[in-house]
Amino acid sequence: MRIKVKNMVCDRCKAVLNQEFGNAGIEVVQMDLGEIQFADNAQTQMERIREILTSNGFELIDDLDNSNIVEIKKHLINALQNDTHQNLSKYLSEKMNKEYSVLSKMFSIKEGLTIEKYFILLKIERVKEEIQMGAKTFSEIAYDLNYKSSSHLAKQFKTVTGMSMSDYKKLKDWNRKPLDQIV
């Protein structure tokens, strides 16, 4: 039995759910971002599965549009983590085997922002992480995230966060969002 799960977008999410299902005696066969495959006998434990998901901030996805949204987010996070520097619309179309215009319209309706704006939010969170680690210059961060220049990144960072990257670097109370909390 395979289910789709909303907000399950990082390895920490997978670890938490693996532990929770193990404690409940529910056998997980395979777990990927946004998707869990259980042993065949788990069908009888759907109420407990739903309860575990809900109590940990996740949601079982019952409709196809929500399932596609989770897939889009998963692919965008993977693209960001794997430094995929290709055209976003082409990348998603290939991964989802659907026209980008269909994906874009569905995403905008369900999430209230475009795929591109969502991806920018993901990138800004990645920039925050890189700034906190302190191992790279702003130019290196911009290059790694496929920005044309560090000034383009700086402008986008300030638009999204309301502060410059230098000001963010000086903060000690960093306000980063986990990737699964974006939108």
Side-chain angles (χ1 to χ4, degrees):
M1 174 183 84
R2 187 175 294 274
I3 65 168
K4 300 274 186 178
V5 180
K6 186 174 183 179
N7 297 333
M8 189 175 110
V9 295
C10 65
D11 289 334
R12 186 181 74 242
C13 299
K14 290 171 35 178
V16 165
L17 288 178
N18 246 333
Q19 182 177 359
E20 291 283 335
F21 290 127
N23 291 345
I26 300 171
E27 184 183 348
V28 174
V29 174
Q30 183 177 347
M31 189 176 295
D32 296 312
L33 296 180
E35 192 170 76
I36 305 171
Q37 181 176 352
F38 295 97
D40 291 335
N41 64 348
Q43 185 67 40
T44 60
Q45 298 173 303
M46 273 310 294
E47 190 59 37
R48 181 69 179 125
I49 290 170
R50 192 179 300 268
E51 183 182 300
I52 290 170
L53 291 172
T54 303
S55 68
N56 285 285
F58 303 101
E59 185 179 327
L60 182 64
I61 298 174
D62 296 326
D63 75 50
L64 185 59
D65 282 353
N66 282 338
S67 178
N68 284 325
I69 298 298
V70 167
E71 286 293 310
I72 290 169
K73 287 181 176 183
K74 179 178 86 172
H75 289 306
L76 292 173
I77 290 168
N78 285 337
L80 183 63
Q81 290 173 339
N82 297 327
D83 296 324
T84 302
H85 293 297
Q86 62 177 307
N87 180 288
L88 197 58
S89 57
K90 182 179 178 189
Y91 173 76
L92 282 176
S93 292
E94 288 173 1
K95 290 292 185 182
M96 302 283 297
N97 200 26
K98 290 182 173 40
E99 290 292 322
Y100 182 76
S101 59
V102 172
L103 297 173
S104 178
K105 184 175 182 178
M106 175 188 7
F107 192 91
S108 294
I109 290 169
K110 287 284 191 176
E111 296 298 312
L113 76 163
T114 65
I115 289 173
E116 292 80 7
K117 286 184 180 175
Y118 178 79
F119 194 62
I120 288 169
L121 294 176
L122 289 176
K123 287 169 79 171
I124 295 302
E125 290 306 314
R126 173 85 180 272
V127 171
K128 289 178 181 179
E129 179 183 357
E130 294 288 350
I131 290 171
Q132 284 176 257
M133 289 192 292
K136 296 179 182 175
T137 66
F138 294 156
S139 294
E140 290 170 329
I141 295 169
Y143 177 79
D144 287 349
L145 292 174
N146 203 31
Y147 281 90
K148 292 180 177 154
S149 67
S150 59
S151 61
H152 179 225
L153 168 59
K155 182 178 178 183
Q156 199 167 70
F157 188 91
K158 186 162 187 153
T159 300
V160 171
T161 66
M163 68 177 72
S164 71
M165 292 191 301
S166 297
D167 289 343
Y168 183 81
K169 187 175 186 174
K170 292 174 191 171
L171 290 178
K172 294 302 172 209
D173 183 25
W174 285 313
N175 58 342
R176 286 189 43 224
K177 293 180 185 175
L179 295 182
D180 61 335
Q181 299 294 317
I182 296 176
V183 176

